[in-house]
Amino acid sequence: MDRYERILTLHRLLKSAHYPIPLSRLLGELECSRATLYRDVAFLRDALGAPIESAGVDQAAFRYEVGEGEKFELPGLWLTSDELAALLALNELISRSGPGVLAGALAPFKARIEGLLSDQGSGKALPIERIRVIPWGERKLDQQVFRIVAGAVLERKQLRFRYRARTTNADSRRTVSPQRLTHYRDNWYLDVWDHDREALRSFAVDRIVEAQSLDAAATDVGEADLNDLLASSYGIFAGKPKAWATIRFSPHAARWVADEHWHSQQKGEWLPDGRYELKVPYSNSKELLMDVLKYGPDAEVVAPLPLREEMKILLQLALSGYARQ
């Protein structure tokens, strides 16, 4: 943990504590020596003006002064990379909402975010425009449909709609109990209990039309059951894992893949020759193969054999398109 992280962690520990924090706990939380901790405490108190006071009789302890600690904040932008990304993403989503029905309701949130992203010490706005959040693969969404769908999810009402599946181009009508909305790769998906099929399903919201919220109460499915079927396999496709895919990446691609999150249950290891072997559970191979294909010759599907053969067919079909004169 570097000094920036230690100062931020120390501040948050002291600000959230109702009682003095023993020195031993602070040493464990900050993963540093006693001398380093005392230097950080001195910097936080003397350079940043934190209202730190010593406490404890049998052992050293620290806390923020009662009344002053609640008002004290670190000057400037003290956010982790995840927090900054979350704030910027939220700010971007609010900006993209446009002058719709939520504009007035979201305005206070936007002002609050801009306040968090300002330099509290000088009062100046930081040049956040120099940090970009770029949407990727976002599909056009009917906002009226989205509002009906989201309303049914939150109000726990059944939905009826017409669905146009991209994979088959088939048109069907569904009556469902909406379970949750999922924002995945810049697009929205609706997890439902499909009353006609009597099964859990996931639908792309941008393919839903003629949405209608019904008076009937939605049937609730337990979160464990939802995750078991809709979140246990690779990607957005539903279904329990039917196999584990083994993919090997070249030493060049491994520099990226080894640090990437593909699935919550993924397994990875470095091979003696510098390649990286990744294993992920999957149900539907389509999205997995699409993601592997983007690595071109730097990725090889090793197992299982049906998945490897499916990849070979995709590559042969792609190559045949270039063979035509």
Side-chain angles (χ1 to χ4, degrees):
M1 187 180 295
D2 62 22
R3 192 185 192 196
Y4 175 93
E5 292 177 291
R6 289 199 312 273
I7 295 296
L8 181 58
T9 303
L10 178 59
H11 165 68
R12 291 180 174 178
L13 286 170
L14 295 173
K15 192 171 179 66
S16 62
H18 297 291
Y19 301 97
I21 305 176
L23 180 68
S24 56
R25 182 191 164 193
L26 290 176
L27 290 173
E29 293 280 357
L30 300 178
E31 302 173 348
C32 66
S33 67
R34 179 188 294 261
T36 298
L37 174 59
Y38 275 108
R39 283 196 297 269
D40 289 343
V41 168
F43 177 79
L44 186 58
R45 181 188 59 227
D46 302 333
L48 300 180
I52 299 177
E53 63 179 10
S54 300
V57 178
D58 298 330
Q59 61 175 326
F62 297 96
R63 68 179 180 186
Y64 277 165
E65 295 177 17
V66 178
E68 294 297 320
E70 291 83 354
K71 297 183 289 183
F72 175 74
E73 292 293 346
L74 292 174
L77 186 65
W78 289 77
L79 299 172
T80 65
S81 60
D82 286 343
E83 291 168 338
L84 178 59
L87 276 177
L88 290 171
L90 180 56
N91 199 45
E92 174 71 14
L93 286 172
I94 293 175
S95 298
R96 276 195 253 160
S97 68
V101 295
L102 290 177
L106 291 176
F109 289 99
K110 186 171 178 63
R112 177 62 177 156
I113 290 172
E114 290 172 350
L116 288 170
L117 294 175
S118 66
D119 187 333
Q120 296 180 18
S122 65
K124 295 180 180 178
L126 296 173
I128 298 302
E129 68 277 1
R130 294 186 178 275
I131 303 175
R132 296 192 298 166
V133 177
I134 302 175
W136 182 88
E138 182 182 15
R139 299 189 291 267
K140 186 177 180 181
L141 187 66
D142 186 318
Q143 295 299 322
Q144 178 64 19
V145 168
F146 179 79
R147 284 193 288 271
I148 294 172
V149 168
V153 171
L154 298 176
E155 294 168 6
R156 311 305 306 129
K157 298 292 186 181
Q158 291 187 22
L159 267 175
R160 182 176 295 136
F161 55 79
R162 187 162 62 90
Y163 190 72
R164 299 172 296 181
R166 275 195 176 86
T167 52
T168 62
N169 206 30
D171 200 304
S172 61
R173 293 190 176 276
R174 307 291 182 111
T175 300
V176 305
S177 284
Q179 302 300 316
R180 60 189 180 190
L181 273 171
T182 300
H183 192 248
Y184 176 73
R185 295 191 176 187
D186 272 321
N187 290 288
W188 288 99
Y189 296 86
L190 177 66
D191 297 335
V192 307
W193 173 259
D194 191 322
H195 291 280
D196 299 319
R197 275 71 173 175
E198 295 188 343
L200 288 169
R201 293 287 187 269
S202 187
F203 296 97
V205 178
D206 58 283
R207 301 298 287 177
I208 292 176
V209 295
E210 300 174 14
Q212 178 186 0
S213 181
L214 307 178
D215 292 331
T219 300
D220 288 335
V221 177
E223 186 175 0
D225 293 328
L226 287 172
N227 290 333
D228 188 41
L229 188 65
L230 301 177
S232 57
S233 294
Y234 183 84
I236 197 63
F237 292 102
K240 293 184 178 181
K242 65 180 182 182
W244 280 75
T246 301
I247 308 137
R248 286 181 186 157
F249 296 88
S250 71
H252 176 74
R255 300 171 202 160
W256 284 267
V257 178
D259 294 327
E260 290 177 352
H261 176 82
W262 287 52
H263 190 271
S264 60
Q265 299 177 43
Q266 70 185 48
K267 302 174 183 177
E269 65 172 327
W270 288 94
L271 302 179
D273 59 2
R275 291 183 297 168
Y276 187 78
E277 185 173 278
L278 179 69
K279 296 182 179 181
V280 292
Y282 74 97
S283 173
N284 187 312
S285 62
K286 183 177 180 180
E287 185 176 356
L288 176 59
L289 292 179
M290 287 169 56
D291 286 340
V292 174
L293 277 170
K294 72 181 182 182
Y295 286 95
D298 287 312
E300 176 192 359
V301 175
V302 178
L305 184 59
L307 187 66
R308 181 179 174 88
E309 292 300 315
E310 190 176 351
M311 176 61 89
K312 286 170 63 177
I313 292 171
L314 286 176
L315 291 170
Q316 289 167 356
L317 290 172
L319 187 60
S320 66
Y322 289 94
R324 302 190 192 101
Q325 298 297 326

